Amino acid sequence: MCGFFGIVNHDKDISFLADNVQRAIWLLSHRGPDDSGLFKSKNALLAHVRLSIIDLKHGHQPMLSHDEKKIIVFNGEIFNYKELKERLRGLGHTFRSESDTEVVLVAYEHFGEKCLEFFHGMFAFAIYDQNNRKIFAARDRFGIKPFYYSFHKSTFMFGSEAKTFYDSDLVSFEPKEENFNEYIIFGYVAGEETLHKNISELEAGHYL
C-alpha cells in the first residue's frame, strides 16, 4: 500500500504551497512507511509515500520519465509488468529500474491513454505531463485502489484519501449531508459522489 497527494494549477505559481502538500503526505505515512518524496515545480506539486515491495532501491516516487517532463505517482501493483516491460523494450524503450511504476510511465509515453488496456492489476495513479500541461489519472477496473479529486479555486487536487485535502488546508471541511442516507443504507455512495461537498471519487475502471 502506498499513498499520494498532488495539486496542479496552470493559472498561477503554486510552489509556495509545498509545505501544505508535505504536511498532507506526512499524515499518510501509515500507507507508506518506507520512503517519501516530493516533486515541486511552478505549477505542480506531487507527493508520495511508499511501501517498498518491488525494486526497493530504485523505485522512489514521484518518478520522472527519461526526459524529466512526465512525473508519476502510483499506488498498486501491475501483475503483468514484466511481460509488458519486455514488449516495450522490443519497441525501443529502455528502463532504469525494476519497478512496475516505471513500466506504467513508459507505457503511457508510448500508448497514451490506451496504455490502460495493457494493465492487469490493482492501481490508482496520476501522471503530470509538463510539456502538454496535462494530468492523466486512472483507477483499476474493480476500484481496489482509491483515487479522490477536487477542483477548488482553479486548482486541481487529487489523493489517496479524502482527509489529505483537509490536512493540506486547501479545502474546508463540508459534509454532503444529502448523501448520508445512501451511505447508511448501502454502506457506500454511488458514482463519483462522496460524503464531502468538494471532493469526488474517480469511479472504478475510469480515467480522467
Side-chain angles (χ1 to χ4, degrees), residues 4-152:
F4 55 75
F5 180 69
I7 61 175
V8 177
N9 188 318
H10 287 131
D11 294 330
K12 61 181 179 180
D13 187 340
I14 58 170
S15 58
F16 70 95
L17 294 174
D19 287 344
N20 298 66
V21 174
Q22 191 70 67
R23 179 168 59 251
I25 205 67
W26 279 337
L27 295 172
L28 285 182
S29 59
H30 61 281
R31 299 184 65 93
D34 298 327
D35 190 21
S36 65
L38 173 68
F39 169 81
K40 177 181 176 181
S41 72
K42 179 179 178 181
N43 299 115
L45 296 160
L46 282 72
H48 188 272
V49 289
R50 183 179 184 224
L51 178 64
S52 302
I53 298 176
I54 300 173
D55 196 348
L56 308 189
K57 185 176 181 180
H58 300 109
H60 178 77
Q61 295 187 50
M63 182 178 288
L64 278 63
S65 60
H66 281 280
D67 63 4
E68 299 187 349
K69 296 301 182 181
K70 298 179 184 68
I71 305 95
I72 185 173
V73 284
F74 174 85
N75 173 27
E77 183 179 357
I78 304 300
F79 304 143
N80 64 327
Y81 80 95
K82 291 183 178 180
E83 295 88 344
L84 183 54
K85 184 175 185 177
E86 289 308 308
R87 178 171 182 170
L88 290 164
R89 275 179 170 154
L91 293 169
H93 295 280
T94 59
F95 292 83
R96 297 170 293 183
S97 76
E98 297 301 321
S99 169
D100 54 350
T101 302
E102 187 178 15
V103 174
V104 172
L105 182 56
V106 174
Y108 172 72
E109 287 186 294
H110 188 90
F111 297 111
E113 64 187 40
K114 291 186 180 296
C115 67
L116 298 175
E117 299 174 9
F118 300 94
F119 300 153
H120 300 159
M122 50 183 180
F123 56 83
F125 67 84
I127 297 173
Y128 177 57
D129 187 335
Q130 297 186 90
N131 284 334
N132 296 324
R133 294 160 62 90
K134 178 181 179 181
I135 280 278
F136 177 73
R139 193 177 179 202
D140 64 78
R141 296 166 180 83
F142 294 99
I144 298 171
K145 296 300 181 180
F147 190 100
Y148 296 93
Y149 69 93
S150 175
F151 288 103
H152 185 68

Side-chain angles (χ1 to χ4, degrees), residues 173-193:
F173 177 66
E174 293 186 63
K176 198 166 188 177
E177 297 175 358
E178 57 266 39
N179 289 342
F180 284 8
N181 284 344
E182 182 178 354
Y183 181 81
I184 291 170
I185 293 171
F186 299 107
Y188 65 93
V189 180
E192 293 194 342
E193 290 284 310

